[in-house]
Amino acid sequence: MRRYSFLHLAWQALRGNRGWRPAWRNAEPTSGYEVVIIGGGGHGLATAYYLAKNQGIRNVAVLERGAIGLGNSGRNTQVVRSNYFYPQSVAFFDHSLKLYEGLGRELNLNVMLSQRGVLNLAHSEHDMELQRRWCNAIRMSGVDSEWLTRDAIRALVPPLNLDGRFPVLGGFIQRRGGICRHDAVVWGYARAASSLGVDIVQSCEVTGFKFANGKVRAVATSRGIIGADKVVMSVAGYSSELARLAGIELPITTMALQAMVTEPVRPVLNTMVISGLVHAYVSQSDRGEIVIGGGADAYPSYAQRGGLPQMRDVVRAVVELFPSFSRLKMLRQWAGRVDITPDTSPIMGVTPIDGLFINCGWGTGGFKAIPAGGHTMAHTIATGTPHPLIESFGLDRFRTGALIDEGAAAGVAH
Ligand code: FAD
Ligand code: PYC
């Protein structure tokens, strides 16, 4: 991999930028691999990278049915944070945030991490009570979280209307939380994995599995049969459909989650603000656009577009909270298919089939988990034993009942 550096940038500029090489190899599939990863989103690519780098397993293919990063990993609103409720979740997501903090250097690509803080608003005494408990729970797990008074919030977020239909009584902030450029994360992992020998195979859809003696042997794809000692499913909203081809029923519901951006304006908002009551959140992108999102559309769907009622509700809530934003023109709206579990926590680890692993159930919040998801899944695949940080997130919890109900901390409603 040619390292990106200031000198290299200057040299390319002098040559009229004609010397850039593709950042990763667009590989042709071979007849077989030690590990096949299905899904070229952030999780699949990060898993490939850590398999190659940390576990020394380089005979790996990432099979992507379209182009890498065009699923949810390229459609999210880029929020990173580790302010979950239960200790297992805080430990996992803070591991991810710490990896994000060093990711630009690790991948030699600027992932534009901006730790501008993630602020949750409390609109009633009930909200205040629950959010204080949540804020304390995060602190008791050893992660930063800070209670803010109304006045502190007023100073931090000048355009926020604290006295409107949804009065703001207080809130809590994770100052290490923020925004990170989603495409750069995908491209960075793809480039680094490819340089370590991983084959990234695009336009290659997995359509079935081949098993022998209870063990996975190969995957059937739109480009033929590809052998594999181990296979990982990292396909987000398609997880239940793909797992069904392997005879596994997943407790996943797929829904559309949408987001939108306004025209760019000068800097007015330097914090990511989220309101669980009205199910809406906003941040300002580096380009100046106001990025707006809310909860998932309230019905199962595989359509990669959102419905008008949800869009209308989210915009209505945002202009109540930020009246000046009502003057902005909306530029774009889009949606992704999100994979939602009953307890709003991910599913990571082994499956009942020898050699078949799973990474899914990220719902509305798996972008922030990409580094830790890849890191812990690589360990799990290499050793056959779940990494300690993901032991509680196994598929078997839906049989044992040991659920980790992160519904309230999942960021947006679903
Ligand atoms: P994806 O990126 O979706 O990748 C899965 C890939 O699998 C896709 O590229 C797909 O084409 C491929 N695939 C599917 N089936 C097959 C097959 N049969 N064969 C081969 N390939 C296949 N999370 C946050 O943490 N913060 C946020 O602010 C945030 N905001 C969001 C906003 C929106 C609008 C959306 C939609 C999601 C948001 N998320 C957020 C969630 C986050 O984007 C996802 O949880 C995360 O990107 C999932 O990554 P992934 O790699 O598992 O899935
Ligand atoms: O998981 O933090 C999150 C999130 C914010 C917006 C969408 N998901």
Side-chain angles (χ1 to χ4, degrees), residues 183-204:
D183 295 325
V185 172
V186 168
W187 299 335
Y189 276 120
R191 173 170 168 264
S194 177
S195 79
L196 291 173
V198 169
D199 275 1
I200 296 174
V201 185
Q202 304 186 97
S203 303
C204 183

Side-chain angles (χ1 to χ4, degrees), residues 77 79 81 84 257 272 274 281 364-365 368 410-412:
T77 42
V79 177
R81 59 186 176 88
Y84 278 70
L257 178 69
M272 191 274 176
I274 181 161
Y281 62 93
T364 60
K368 69 176 85 64
V412 291

Side-chain angles (χ1 to χ4, degrees), residues 95-115:
H95 178 54
S96 210
L97 191 51
K98 284 184 182 137
L99 289 173
Y100 264 121
E101 287 170 339
L103 199 61
R105 194 168 290 274
E106 162 108 27
L107 300 179
N108 177 231
L109 193 107
N110 184 1
V111 292
M112 297 167 75
L113 175 68
S114 162
Q115 293 178 288

